[in-house]
Amino acid sequence: MGYALGIVITIAVVLALGLVLGASRLHTLSRRVGSFPCGARPARPQAPWSAGIAQYGVGRIDWWRCWSLAPRPTRTWHRDRLTVTGRAPLDQAGQVDQYLVRCRYDGVDFELTMSSGAYAGLASWLESAPPGRRGLVV
């Protein structure tokens, strides 16, 4: 009986520790300067969405999944290879102040969801690229 109780307690402690680490990571990512909530998925109609947090870096956007313990971003998109190909408001889908943003990176299409303020920031960031790289926003 004591051995089984020890295993149960160990499992509970490991799960609690994982939960605390995950919540701490999510809190830290969302508090960074230049970060914003951003869902992502491949540009296929039935592809699942992944909730995440994006953050502007020097010449790139890093994207982390919300529920992960990974110390590195899941995706990184460099400004000179990222293009916005379209956007649509999601008001009719019941998501007020949200946009569906269609993007292309190295020839691969994908979609992001973000607030209108985050989209304005993304469009400004792309348009402020060095000379010769403007016109990245449709």
Side-chain angles (χ1 to χ4, degrees):
M1 182 68 110
Y3 179 72
L5 182 60
I7 290 176
V8 169
I9 290 173
T10 302
I11 290 172
V13 167
V14 168
L15 287 175
L17 183 61
L19 202 60
V20 167
L21 287 174
S24 174
R25 175 184 170 275
L26 188 58
H27 178 75
T28 300
L29 288 173
S30 65
R31 297 278 182 190
R32 289 182 174 177
V33 173
S35 67
F36 57 96
C38 178
R41 76 173 182 181
R44 295 188 312 264
Q46 301 304 321
W49 284 99
S50 295
I53 296 175
Q55 179 189 8
Y56 293 104
V58 177
R60 70 178 194 280
I61 296 177
D62 294 325
W63 184 83
W64 287 268
R65 288 184 193 276
C66 276
W67 302 109
S68 171
L69 294 177
R72 298 185 198 246
T74 304
R75 303 266 189 276
T76 296
W77 301 297
H78 294 272
R79 176 167 38 195
D80 59 344
R81 297 175 1 220
L82 177 65
T83 305
V84 172
T85 60
R87 71 178 167 102
L90 295 175
D91 293 340
Q92 293 178 346
Q95 297 181 20
V96 179
D97 192 44
Q98 292 287 308
Y99 277 101
L100 172 69
V101 181
R102 291 176 188 88
C103 301
R104 179 168 294 134
Y105 185 76
D106 287 344
V108 177
D109 293 330
F110 62 97
E111 297 174 331
L112 303 172
T113 58
M114 62 186 70
S115 70
S116 60
Y119 175 74
L122 174 66
S124 295
W125 181 76
L126 286 171
E127 290 173 351
S128 68
R133 284 296 302 152
R134 300 220 164 79
L136 301 173
V137 180
V138 174

